[in-house]
Amino acid sequence: MKHGFMLAGGLLALAASCHAAPAAAPAADKNMIRAHLNFLADDLLEGRETGSRGYDIAARYVAAQFMQYGVKPMGDKGGYQQLVPLRATRLVQESPVVELRSKAGSETLAYLDDYAVSGSLLQDQSEVSAPLIFVGYGIQAKAFGYDDYANIDVKGKIVVTLAGKPSRLPTEEGAHFASGDHKRAIAARYGAVGTVTLQTPVSEKAAAFSKNRDYRFIPSMSWVDLEGEAAREEAALQNRISLSIPASKKLFAHSGGASLDDIYALAEANKPVPHMDLNMSMRMFKKSVRNDVASTNVVGMIEGSDPKLKNEYVVFTAHLDHLGQVKERSGDNIFNGAMDNASGVATLIETARMFAQSGARPKRSILFIALTGEEKGLLGADYFAHNPTVPVRSIVANVNLDMPLLVFDFNDVMAFGAQHSTLKGIATRALAKMNMTLIPDPWPELGLFTRSDHYMFVRQGIPSIFLATGMGSANKDENPGKLWGDFLSKRYHQPNDDLTQPFNFDAAARFAQLNYNIALEIADTPARPAWNKGDFFGDTFSK
């Protein structure tokens, strides 16, 4: 009876608030953000693995928050959730075999010491034996006069490529060409049957090969298209692996040309690397266990006030998933993803609340989307971008929130991708209202522009930015560069990205306020955001 009385009282209070006079735009509430984050990163949700019960609980939580604030549902069938059909695969850990074969004999490489491999999304058993051919970075960027496949025949061969990109390619455009999707598509187009990626000193510094051991039990996934096939997979490629630096050097033992150390030196000096037949073949074999699963994006809308502009949409996104629970791991085995990305989702929910309780609606409509499958390859964003719940050409911009580091008193912001469109000016104006500035990408070698959900909107021709706290602090005793470095080296994609971290919730509220200001600036600016004239991404993807 007591519970029923409290519920009735709450409903009466909610009804009364709905008829209250409009209030001034509310300030961001740090306690709201703290509450959302504490729930989403709790052990109860077991790391919010895509397709898991923990993720589903998180998705229902976000939908409940949207409902509470009067954010309109914009998912499937009049609800908040958009179903995303997925296929998952797990490598049978005892199954992989990789053999090098040359005139000198054969050598079997060691799984996880020499090479890393994941399960196949296309078949239960994968096997290929073929000659190895080295093709530099495996990139074709004709707009920049770069083509690793010029005058070389890879048909029926396994292509061997360096991780990353040549430094002569621009940072963010180069990140596009260095993506796995691009490299695999080009290799398949020219008839390759497999791929081998070589670790480099640069890629080793960015992500140590040894970390593959930590992630070996985490499934790979793809969304499933209308034909029932795994999207973005290349059927022609029968297998693919990556090699550690010591194992990579073994591939050049019989080439008769440059050693891998020679190639590293040429790459570091920004000089062309030679392409060559490695006079060696490789056999790759593995078994996979595949199954179909489902997950959801959570989609809500604040409707615009302008009779015409309300039919255009500013899309705010943050990924809700993380890496889940690895039961094969001893000790703390829950990857809570507090900073990555419960912090972004908490900011998203708080920004939606601020708009819902504002005294004045924005002119354009704003979609708030908590996305699934980011950690599996930007899957929820890619699915929504291909199957939007509003007309895709009515989406004017995407602002993505992924892993803002909420532990210091930040006074500047990173907006990856801002320089490609008029969003840079819009974001700069919004920042100026809070006496903050926009800084350039401090880590160009990481290629972050292609590594979060906004990139799937870019690929649909939509100007997009990826927001995160910057590298400056109002507190002279704080060193943001060191704090970022500590997080990335010690907690990123680890179980200790949890609620024990020293969150600065005043900074969290400031970040939410900033997002509110940016959303309002985009929504109320008469002209829709546009790609800069001659911009590569605008020219490549706009339709």
Side-chain angles (χ1 to χ4, degrees), residues 171 175 202-203 205-207 441-451 488:
T171 298
V202 173
S203 63
K205 182 179 179 181
D441 183 355
W443 309 297
E445 71 280 1
L446 298 182
L448 293 175
F449 184 62
T450 66
R451 288 175 52 186
L488 293 171

Side-chain angles (χ1 to χ4, degrees), residues 501-530:
Q501 296 172 93
F503 283 90
N504 181 331
F505 286 103
D506 289 323
R510 193 178 315 117
F511 189 67
Q513 194 77 48
L514 168 65
N515 278 279
Y516 176 88
N517 290 350
I518 288 176
L520 189 61
E521 192 79 28
I522 299 172
D524 285 355
T525 298
R528 64 188 286 164

Side-chain angles (χ1 to χ4, degrees), residues 86-92 118-124 216-222 233 286-293 376:
L86 299 167
R87 183 157 300 145
T89 180
R90 291 179 185 268
L91 178 72
V92 177
S118 57
S120 170
L121 286 158
L122 299 176
Q123 49 200 353
D124 295 335
R216 66 190 185 277
F217 296 112
I218 295 173
S220 301
M221 294 185 185
S222 174
E233 291 296 305
K286 66 183 177 185
K287 293 182 180 179
S288 308
V289 176
R290 300 178 299 151
N291 64 293
D292 287 344
V293 297
K376 298 295 184 287

Side-chain angles (χ1 to χ4, degrees), residues 393-540:
R393 292 302 131 213
S394 68
I395 299 175
V396 304
N398 170 233
V399 178
N400 186 47
L401 314 175
D402 189 357
M403 206 174 75
L405 191 62
L406 303 178
V407 299
F408 63 96
D409 194 16
F410 74 96
N411 61 7
D412 57 29
V413 173
M414 300 179 282
F416 302 101
Q419 71 271 28
H420 298 289
S421 72
T422 57
L423 286 175
K424 181 177 181 179
I426 292 172
T428 299
R429 291 197 299 272
L431 282 162
K433 295 176 182 178
M434 298 179 67
N435 297 315
M436 291 193 195
T437 56
L438 198 64
I439 64 169
D441 183 355
W443 309 297
E445 71 280 1
L446 298 182
L448 293 175
F449 184 62
T450 66
R451 288 175 52 186
S452 194
D453 289 315
H454 63 287
Y455 187 58
M456 294 298 102
F457 291 87
V458 170
R459 291 172 68 99
Q460 296 301 315
I462 299 165
S464 305
I465 54 175
F466 163 19
L467 283 179
T469 48
M471 302 296 285
S473 173
N475 183 342
K476 62 181 178 59
D477 295 325
E478 291 180 331
N479 183 339
K482 182 178 186 304
L483 292 169
W484 270 109
D486 287 346
F487 177 80
L488 293 171
S489 63
K490 298 174 183 177
R491 302 194 300 280
Y492 172 65
H493 282 189
Q494 296 298 319
N496 61 348
D497 177 11
D498 59 16
L499 295 169
T500 64
Q501 296 172 93
F503 283 90
N504 181 331
F505 286 103
D506 289 323
R510 193 178 315 117
F511 189 67
Q513 194 77 48
L514 168 65
N515 278 279
Y516 176 88
N517 290 350
I518 288 176
L520 189 61
E521 192 79 28
I522 299 172
D524 285 355
T525 298
R528 64 188 286 164
W531 295 102
N532 296 335
K533 185 176 180 180
D535 182 79
F536 168 79
F537 293 100
D539 291 348
T540 300

Side-chain angles (χ1 to χ4, degrees), residues 35 61 92 115 118 143-144 180 185 238 297 318 328 435:
Y61 177 84
V92 177
Y115 69 94
S118 57
F144 298 94
Q238 298 299 303
N297 295 324
E328 297 88 347
N435 297 315

